[in-house]
Each structure stands twice: as structure tokens, then as C-alpha cells.
Amino acid sequence: MPRQRTTPYGPIIALSCVVVLGLALVAIAVVRPGPVDGWLGGGAAHPTPVAEPSSAPPSAVLAGASADAPEPTEAGVKAALDPLVRDSRLGGRVSVSVVDVVTGSSLYARGPDTAAVPASTTKLVTAVTVLASRGPTYKIVTKAVAGAHPGEVVLVGGGDPTLAAGATGTYPGAARLDLLAAAAKQALGGTPPTKVIIDGSLFSGPSWGPAWDTELSEGYGAATMALTTDGARVHPKEVKPPAARYREPDVAAGRLFAAALGLPASAVAAGTAPPAVAAPAVVTSGSAASAGPVTLTPGVELGRVESPPLVRIVEMMLTESDNVIAESLARQVALAKGQPASYAGAAAAMKTVLADLGLAAAQDGLADGSGLSKNNRITPALLTAVLTLAARSDHPELHGLFSGLPVAGYSGTLKDRYRSAGPSRPGAGVVRAKTGTLTGVSAISGIVVTRDGRLLAFAVLADDVTPGGQFPAQDALDKITTTLAGCGCR
């Protein structure tokens, strides 16, 4: 969820996968924390090192999980956690689920089927449903096509939230508008560009989410549109939230594209593309290849750019709890399932995918894909079921969920937690989880390897926190997860 103690996204790790034979469990050895920059193409070949919070690297978060490791007992986990979940800093409503990932058995349950406000742990559901429906290698396309009149160029949004205006964008490996403009100009041949039409018709319905937390949405979120650049940031390198965002991201993108074509802002207007015809000109992520001048039939494709693979976008979303990415990915689920690409359509499609995966879709009440809305309701049991399913070897398309989860004390929204001397410090480098923060809400859900090497999934939702008490509540949550990390609980 939006955090005031987050740090900018930085691609900094390598990742390998090991299948634990006979147990349908995938163990992911994380050598260093954070998202995977070079995985599946794109990004720098040699990621830039970043400072670690201590001289020792974090533990291999999942690699230590073993089917032979002793399983904690329900009685042992209950004795360890009962005093902690009653911490007054968590408020009057606390619901918890702790599950053994190998067996799927519940080890601790306190209102596990109670629907609570999940805040940004909602993004776990968004991640799993978009990976399942689109696939991890799917790329989102932004196109330029010929308009109805000579020199008109229609910029068609495909819903890529990472699209960059130029070479200094927010997100690694992003598609670039300046390259698309170069391809379009080449395809136009001797016809000079005269006008830019922005077509954002792929998305429908309201552009602002239902019941978004007004204290946090400004600067942490933006209008959800099919055409946007750099997560709607006014300044692409202003990564740390809250960041200034365009109120009309599609118009801003159109003006940036027009500038790259040598046109003024006054040459930009809203509209829709003519019916598509053959597409001879193609531009992909990092190159500006074009078929050269084309016959300028209205609707002919002048060029296209493609986003990084979906798995990398999911990692970016999870690591820094990026709300703009989350809402765009939720709409990709809607498009994949034939639903309107709106808040309501995305919620319905995500519920359908959960059911297709065999998860209890009845345990969710989704209003958006980011968790900014206080209308969202999810149960802890659904979150631990999502994590357990994503770890299974028969769902390799879901494994990207884990590479994006922040590592305690090292990366993303957990970088500044678990670091000070105290009861939560032993969890640093061991806990890997998605955080959630709204006014009056503090939540966490993820995975942890116990002292004995057993892999557990957990979810703790506290949605009755004293106003202004979110950060003390986080300390209480960190103590719970650290206890699981250090507990044999037998």
C-alpha cells in the first residue's frame, strides 16, 4: 500500500528456481532482495549494486524450505502468536491465517474467513489473476496508426502503465514514446505529421477508484487510463511517493508524443482510431525498426512499442506497491476474460479467475486492483491460499509472485522495516511479504521460512487501527512475522 517510508524501485537481484520433487512445491532461492531486472529479457545486463543494510546478505528466502523440515504444530504456533495478535496497537479487529505451504494445512486461524479491508495486500490477488489470465511473458502494446486525414497520427493506448516518454523513464526496460514517434515519422514518409489523436477507449468507466482513501490516493495513485506515461508521473525520476501525477495522463502522453513528432500541444485532441488494417511497421521495446513509408490508408499501423514481460511489471507493482500499475494490470485481467476494462469489470474478472484456479472467490469483495479502496474486502484465508497455490510446481506461470515480494530490511516497502535493534530485527532478510497501509488499516501477507526450514504462508489484517496509528501497528505486525521466522513452534 502507499507508504511514507518507501524507497525507489531498484533492480538488484538474481533468482533461480528449484522444484522440490514429489511435493508440488517450488523453492525460489533469492540471493539478494528485490525484483529481477534481467529476467525474461529487457533491462540492464549488469544491474547496479546497491547498499545493503548490513554486511551479511539476506537469507535465501525460500531455498531453505524442505519437505523434511519439522512442521510446526497448531498448539506451538498458537502459544507463540496468541499474545502478539492481542497487541493493542493492532486495534479491535485482527484476522490471521498461517498455513504450511507444503501440506496446505492451517497452523493458526483467527477469523481466517472474516472479510476485512486488505489495503495493498490486494495486490497479491491482482498479481496472481493477471499472471494466470495473461501469462508471465505477455507484453502490452502501444500503437500509432494513421488517422482519417493526411498527417493525422492516432496514439492508441493499450494499458501499459510503464510506458516511458523517453530514455529516462521511471521503469526499467519500458517501451518508449520517442521511439514510437520516430517509427511513425518514418512510416509517414514525405507526409508531415499535422495532428495527434489520443485513443484511450480500451478502458471504460470512471477513471478514479471507488471509495479511495483520500489521504493516500493523491500522489500515490492517479486516474486509471489506457494511455499514460511513467505511471502518470509529472517528473519520471520522482519515484518515491508521494509524487506529482498528471490529472489527465492520456492528454499528457499525447502532448509528449506530439512534441516528439515536432508538433505543439495544441495539435492534440481526443478521438478513436479508424478500423485497423495491415500493420507493416513494428517497433519493440528497445529498438526503432520500421518498414519505412507505407500507404497511408486510415487505420494502417505506423509503429508499435511493447512493454516489458508481464512478470516484470508484476514485480515492479509488488516491490514498491505501485497503485497505478496495479489498476492497469487489473484491467488486463478484465480484457483477458472478456469483461469491460473498468473497475467493476476488473473486479468481476478477477473473481472469475480465482474460481478458475480453485480458490474461494466468495472470500473476496474486490472494488479495485490496488487496495486503495476501503470498499475492498478479502479474507486472510484467501491470501494464504493464493500464496500456497503460487508456490506449487503445477502453476509455474504464478511463480513471479515471489520474486516481486519485498524482503524484510532490504527491499521495496519492507526496506526500512525490521532494521532497528529490537524484537523484529531477526526477521530481516527472512520475511518476504506484501504490506498494506490505509488510514486505520495495517496489513501484511507473505511467506517465511522457520528456524527449522519449514515454509509458511501468512496473512494478518488489522482494519480497526487507531487513526494515525498505522506505523505502531506495523511494528506489531513485524513482531508477529519475526516470531514465525524464529519459532520451531513444536
Side-chain angles (χ1 to χ4, degrees), residues 278-298:
V282 177
V283 184
T284 58
S285 307
S287 64
S290 172
V294 301
T295 302
L296 297 178
T297 305

Side-chain angles (χ1 to χ4, degrees), residues 68-454:
D68 298 326
E71 182 180 2
T73 66
E74 290 185 58
V77 178
K78 178 178 174 61
L81 296 192
D82 264 352
L84 304 181
V85 299
R86 290 196 291 265
D87 192 315
S88 62
R89 292 175 293 178
L90 295 174
R93 288 193 303 269
V94 185
S95 49
V96 187
S97 173
V98 179
V99 172
D100 181 271
V101 173
V102 176
T103 65
S105 60
S106 173
L107 296 174
Y108 188 85
R110 176 185 168 116
D113 297 324
T114 299
V117 180
S120 215
T121 59
T122 303
K123 292 183 177 72
L124 293 173
V125 177
T126 303
V128 163
T129 55
V130 76
L131 287 170
S133 59
R134 282 300 202 198
T137 61
Y138 183 84
K139 297 181 179 182
I140 304 171
V141 175
T142 305
K143 296 187 296 184
V145 305
H149 302 96
E152 284 187 352
V153 180
V154 185
L155 180 60
V156 184
D160 178 8
T162 68
L163 179 67
T168 57
T170 302
Y171 304 101
R176 289 168 49 180
L177 272 185
D178 60 336
L179 297 182
L180 181 58
K185 289 174 73 173
Q186 184 176 355
L188 286 171
T191 302
T194 58
K195 188 174 184 178
V196 170
I197 306 295
I198 50 175
D199 182 350
S201 60
L202 185 66
F203 290 0
S204 60
S207 58
W208 289 88
W212 275 7
D213 189 323
T214 54
E215 291 186 29
L216 292 173
S217 59
E218 191 70 29
Y220 290 90
T224 303
M225 294 185 171
L227 185 58
T228 188
T229 55
D230 299 302
R233 289 171 176 82
V234 176
H235 309 291
K237 288 305 181 183
E238 191 177 294
V239 180
K240 187 175 181 178
R245 313 276 179 155
Y246 290 115
R247 297 296 296 180
E248 296 179 303
D250 55 346
V251 174
R255 290 173 176 170
L256 290 166
F257 185 68
L261 289 173
L263 296 174
S266 59
V268 177
T272 56
V277 295
V282 177
V283 184
T284 58
S285 307
S287 64
S290 172
V294 301
T295 302
L296 297 178
T297 305
V300 70
E301 186 171 306
L302 303 175
R304 63 168 56 195
V305 288
E306 296 179 341
S307 74
L310 193 65
V311 65
R312 296 195 60 231
I313 301 178
V314 167
E315 289 167 358
M316 297 175 202
M317 171 188 71
L318 292 174
T319 302
E320 292 298 343
S321 201
D322 193 307
N323 297 302
V324 175
I325 289 181
E327 296 303 342
S328 295
L329 292 185
R331 277 159 173 72
Q332 290 298 323
V333 183
L335 293 168
K337 303 305 290 186
Q339 292 280 356
S342 63
Y343 288 103
M350 290 164 71
K351 187 170 183 175
T352 297
V353 175
L354 288 175
D356 292 343
L357 291 170
L359 299 173
Q363 293 185 340
D364 85 84
L366 293 172
D368 65 19
S370 64
L372 273 175
S373 177
K374 284 196 170 182
N375 287 350
N376 285 312
R377 295 293 185 274
I378 295 178
T379 69
L382 177 60
L383 293 175
T384 52
V386 162
L387 290 159
T388 301
L389 182 73
R392 285 169 40 178
S393 62
D394 59 342
H395 281 285
E397 76 280 8
L398 305 181
H399 295 166
L401 176 75
F402 296 106
S403 55
L405 288 180
V407 178
Y410 287 84
S411 64
T413 56
L414 287 182
K415 183 171 184 177
D416 294 329
R417 290 166 65 168
Y418 299 82
R419 296 182 67 176
S420 60
S424 66
R425 186 64 182 90
V430 179
V431 175
R432 190 175 182 88
K434 182 71 204 73
T435 58
T437 305
L438 288 174
T439 304
V441 180
S442 196
I444 192 166
S445 182
I447 48 88
V448 63
V449 177
T450 70
R451 181 183 64 197
D452 294 330
R454 196 77 179 189

Side-chain angles (χ1 to χ4, degrees), residues 37-49:
D37 187 48
W39 197 23
L40 294 182
H46 302 286
T48 303

